[in-house]
Amino acid sequence: MIIEVAKAKNDTNKLLQLSVIAENADDDIWPVYNNEMGKLAAKLQDSHNPRIKLCALRHLAASLNNKGFFFTERGIAYKAVLYFNKSLAIQRAIHDLEGEAYSLSNLGAIYDSKGEIDKALEYYFAAVKIRENINSKQSLAQSYNNIAILYNNQDDLVNALKYHFHSLKIRLELKDEGGVALAYNNIGTTYTNLVERSFKGKKNIPDSLINKPYEYFTKSLQSFTRVNNEHGAAHSMFNLADLYILQADCFHNKNTLAYDTLLVKAENLFLKCFDIHTRNNEKEWLANTFNGLANVYWRQNKIVKAKYSAEQAMVYASELGYPGTIQKCADILRKIYQSEKNFEKALAMSDMYFSMRDSVSNDKNQKEALSKYFLYQSEKQEMLTKINQEKMQLTFAAKTKQQDLIIYFVVFGLIVLLIFGLFIFNRFKVTQKQNLIIQQQKLMVEESRTEIVDSINYAKRIQYALLANDELLDRNLKDKFIYFKPKDIVSGDFYWATEHNNRFYFAACDCTGHGVPGAFMSLLNIGFMSEAIKEKNIQEPSEIFDYVRTRLIESISKDNQQDGMDGILICFDTALTDNTIRKLSYAAANNSPVLCRKNGEAFDLIELPKDKMPVGKGERLQKFSPYSVELTKDDILYLFTDGYADQFGGKSGKKFKTKQLQEILLSIVNEPMEIQKQKLNVIFDHWKGNLEQVDDVLIAGIKI
């Protein structure tokens, strides 16, 4: 390869050959060729030939980016940031959009690993914007993947799946099997997080959910194997091993055959990963694999093996300096030291676990200081350039023969500059005073805004405290979800529940207005319903709505104001010993409950009757009808306000409408309730797109 470079006819060909060699050489030799490429590119960037100069700058940026990658792989983040930023500056200067997006993505990955989420997203979305504009599909798929992983790490699983499927769609279009394998692997990881968050330590995982990560990890492993991507295959095996551990924790008691079988499967996969990462000297994944083995051995009560693996993991994690990896190692070591009754070391690991949050903050301060240093160096260089220019002008003037004329012009110029300087100084003082007044006014506005927002946030805490709490709902409803998405900080929609005299009441309502006015109305209506049930001992939902309407008219409906609420109030007897809802009574003001009932293998959707009048002053003031319905096993009852159906969006910017919402409910009725909630949110956000949310949204699903 060295001979081929030496034979190159010109310097630009040498650059191209060095670039190819650096990209394809082994891990222990490519940095040498990359450095040679950087030196030659730095030399050629001063060429007077525009073509050679542009070629040199492109390769110089590539060399700096490669150096950033080199330091990233070795866990030296501050040097990686330095080189990525140098590369980015060159790419922007020569308008290399693809290269600019690549550097932005690399910077986003660094800040993501350090826990600076806002900064990571800023860089990732900047890269996405460029790649969308230039229609760079392969790179855009990678950007979507980076964003999805970040959301996944923040437990925002809905957004994580959204961007992973965006990435998968592009890679399937491009027939990029390696990229498809990566997308499958990441989708499996997101479903694993959903399993862990929803079911670990609580109950068995539904087969429909546990099969999802297995399906995608298996697809990923097969695809990586087909393209001979050893690192990718190891990643898929690692995730499968982690899933076996999670399934063991959720499904089986310790020391059972099923429990031990799952752990043995996990151990075998981790050992295969260990061989691959050792050959490739991948320190971060060696730390993760040692940590995985430690978790297996700890569950198998093999304390000596667990301790060795965990301590090896901590050695690699500490060398890399990644807070998240160190936290995982500290967590398992704390458990191991506690089991050995080595409480001093256990306490040290506990302190290290919690101190990682502080290290993220310290890293951020260091980066800000580094940024200020570069700004200072830039300003210093600019000042030196100006001084050199002035020296050259004075030297030229000294060599001229017309000394008297020069002196005259210099004196005249100084006088003009003095007058102009006095004028500028005067304007500066005036402007300074104006800026001071503006800053004071701005400060007052910001303080007022902060006080208002703080007050509204406090009001939100009060409102949410009055909403139905999870303990009360879990005690009375076997399986349910609440999808609640306020338009503003506080909401005019509310869901509320209470128990009284062996009866359970649940309401889903939409008050007049949204934001602060709507929130006041919701507090008032909750108070009146509680008063009707707890103090007046009114039992029937229709009579409760009658009472609330009377109290609203007495309290606030002055000057023909028609303030009130639409909503549904259901009630059933809680004294039944088998905890089965057989008969449900309800009142419905302008909103209809929807019942989905099995008909063979399919479901029928039944829209239950309602009263076409609000709870409040309206055109009709008749008594509310006492509705009831007989329920059977596996019935699903949906209560919702009009916010979801009234949302504008889609390709034409039209309303979603109730009919389409009912069709969606029928399409997801067989899914677990939590999955139904997530799908409703994904569909709503996709429909809304970049448009503003028009109203508060509330949907409650109750499985009988």
Side-chain angles (χ1 to χ4, degrees), residues 24 221 231 238 353 443 565 570:
N24 295 281
L221 179 57
H231 174 83
F238 180 91
Y353 179 87
L443 183 61
M565 67 177 180
I570 66 172

Side-chain angles (χ1 to χ4, degrees), residues 81-111:
V81 169
L82 174 63
Y83 283 109
F84 286 145
N85 273 315
K86 284 183 176 181
S87 177
L88 180 63
I90 295 173
Q91 288 154 346
R92 283 175 171 166
I94 64 176
H95 305 292
D96 178 7
L97 296 177
E98 186 62 68
E100 182 181 345
Y102 183 65
S103 294
L104 289 167
S105 292
N106 288 337
L107 284 163
I110 291 290
Y111 288 114

